[in-house]
Amino acid sequence: MKKDIDWTSLGFGYIKTDYRYVSNFVNGNWDEGKITETENITLNESACVLQYAQTGFEGLKAYETANGRIVCFRPDLNAQRMVESAKRLEMPPFPEDRFIDAVKTVVKKNIEYVPPYGSGATLYIRPFMFGSNPVMGVKPANEYQFRIFTSPVGPYFKGGAKPITLRIPDFDRAAPRGTGHVKAGLNYAMSLHAIVDAHKQGYNENMYLDSGTRTKIEETGGANIIFVSKDNKVITPKSNSILPSITRRSLMYVAENYLGLKTEQREIYKEELEDMKECALCGTAAVLSPVGKVVDHDKEIKFPSGMEKPGEITQKLYDTLTGIQMGKIEAPEGWIVEIA
Ligand SMILES: *Cc1c(COP(=O)(O)O)cnc(C)c1O
């Protein structure tokens, strides 16, 4: 039985579901882990996460497919990426096979919250990990908690397929040899002021430049960027300080192997924005959100696809990727993991 929720009017926000997974790392080992009903966490006031932001997270979704199965999309890549985040933040990696099992278990326990096929909503899954014991001098914690909770969500950007406007901010997101490539809470803490400021000025999001030279396009606060050039190539920026989005990697594969398009991952200079025909943000939350316009201080770059609807190739990429996720289009080997 599905929960009594108005699925079609959901936004992207936290809704408490019934169960979550928790495992603790104590005395050098992850315990066996368990499902719990309590959403609150009690921590010491000097817990490493509270003082020094030692925390990383992941995000993926569970879907109901056209034929009523509950599946998730490439959870192995989230498990891998969380290991990379943990290493960079000096946290003990949570084993990849246990990560996938825990995702399946939590979704199964909250199965009544998986939005119905066709509603446009999905069950967002949020794994995260943090240093939990008190520290005072700057050092990693030696106790950790790994958790996974879920929340039914609708579209990240209100209006769904309506193109959004980005601005190039005077703030930076990630340092060249910093933590931009791992999914760390700290990358988001420093983006909060920039996003609040962008919203105040009437923009949907920030398009960050590389902070080393401020000449190349990187990504937004929480999504990668893909462009379509005037000669129909799908191009995405290359940089060591961009978070390796699973959605972006999947879309590039779809562009090449399903749509027969040429793809490139390379450095993209700000000046090249004017040579692009389409632009879109991609990520688990954003899926593929069309961008109609970029504002760089006193200069406006309007993409030929306009402000009314997604560009043609953006739309095809969106339809193919979501078709694969919803079980309407055959998926590449291993992309769809059945939960129930
Ligand atoms: C999570 C995230 C993305 C999107 O990654 P997906 O794996 O596609 O969800 C993009 N940029 C940043 C900064 C992120 O944290």
Side-chain angles (χ1 to χ4, degrees), residues 57 59 78 81 173 180 183 188 219-224 243-248 282-285:
F57 69 97
N78 296 96
R81 191 169 64 189
R173 186 189 89 90
K183 222 166 165 66
Y188 282 76
E219 62 170 324
T220 69
N224 281 187
L243 194 282
S245 158
I246 294 163
T247 314
R248 184 254 300 161
C282 60
T284 298

Side-chain angles (χ1 to χ4, degrees), residues 5-280:
I5 291 173
D6 181 5
W7 307 105
T8 53
S9 65
L10 285 174
F12 195 89
Y14 174 81
I15 292 175
K16 188 191 153 201
T17 57
D18 296 338
Y19 301 99
R20 58 276 299 126
Y21 176 87
V22 56
S23 176
N24 288 298
F25 183 89
V26 222
N27 298 327
N29 290 298
W30 287 106
D31 69 14
E32 69 280 13
K34 63 169 197 228
I35 290 289
T36 166
E37 290 182 40
T38 46
E39 74 279 23
N40 294 320
I41 301 169
T42 303
L43 284 175
N44 181 278
E45 61 194 350
S46 200
C48 197
V49 59
L50 298 179
Q51 301 307 325
Y52 302 131
Q54 194 186 21
T55 179
F57 69 97
E58 271 303 325
L60 66 163
K61 284 173 170 173
Y63 311 82
E64 184 171 285
T65 66
N67 60 4
R69 292 179 308 150
I70 307 296
V71 301
C72 64
F73 186 69
R74 312 188 77 179
D76 52 318
L77 298 187
N78 296 96
Q80 266 174 28
R81 191 169 64 189
M82 194 150 191
V83 167
E84 295 310 312
S85 300
K87 286 183 185 160
R88 180 63 178 78
L89 299 170
E90 286 295 333
M91 302 194 287
F94 194 74
E96 291 173 41
D97 54 334
R98 289 193 55 194
F99 178 104
I100 296 169
D101 284 345
V103 165
K104 289 182 183 166
T105 306
V106 184
V107 173
K108 264 190 212 144
K109 291 294 284 182
N110 293 298
I111 203 115
E112 296 171 348
Y113 287 96
V114 179
Y117 173 75
S119 64
T122 53
L123 187 72
Y124 185 74
I125 306 163
R126 170 55 62 88
F128 63 111
M129 187 196 289
F130 54 89
S132 54
N133 66 296
V135 296
M136 193 68 157
V138 177
K139 63 175 182 206
N142 43 39
E143 293 180 2
Y144 294 84
Q145 190 164 100
F146 171 79
R147 278 189 167 243
I148 307 178
F149 69 81
T150 61
S151 178
V153 296
Y156 191 80
F157 292 104
K158 268 210 164 358
K162 259 289 203 230
I164 58 172
T165 301
L166 309 183
R167 67 129 186 221
I168 295 185
D170 291 324
F171 305 104
D172 292 326
R173 186 189 89 90
R177 283 161 290 274
T179 54
H181 62 299
V182 299
K183 222 166 165 66
L186 68 92
N187 293 332
Y188 282 76
M190 61 185 284
S191 76
L192 295 175
H193 176 63
I195 188 75
V196 168
D197 187 60
H199 289 163
K200 262 189 213 153
Q201 320 272 343
Y203 306 109
N204 298 94
E205 254 287 3
N206 292 300
M207 177 183 266
Y208 291 102
L209 302 177
D210 73 297
S211 53
T213 69
R214 295 193 57 84
T215 57
K216 291 171 276 186
I217 308 294
E218 296 235 307
E219 62 170 324
T220 69
N224 281 187
I225 304 175
I226 60 167
F227 295 98
V228 180
S229 64
K230 290 188 174 142
D231 56 354
N232 286 344
K233 269 189 213 137
V234 180
I235 311 177
T236 193
K238 182 179 174 131
S239 154
N240 292 336
S241 45
I242 292 178
L243 194 282
S245 158
I246 294 163
T247 314
R248 184 254 300 161
R249 286 182 266 164
S250 305
L251 285 164
M252 297 303 275
Y253 182 91
V254 163
E256 226 174 283
N257 297 282
Y258 283 68
L259 304 180
L261 298 167
K262 289 216 162 59
T263 62
E264 278 178 2
Q265 184 176 18
R266 60 165 173 85
E267 294 180 327
I268 301 176
Y269 287 87
K270 202 172 72 170
E271 288 67 37
E272 292 183 72
L273 283 174
E274 311 187 38
D275 305 331
M276 302 299 178
K277 189 164 75 167
E278 300 178 26
C279 174

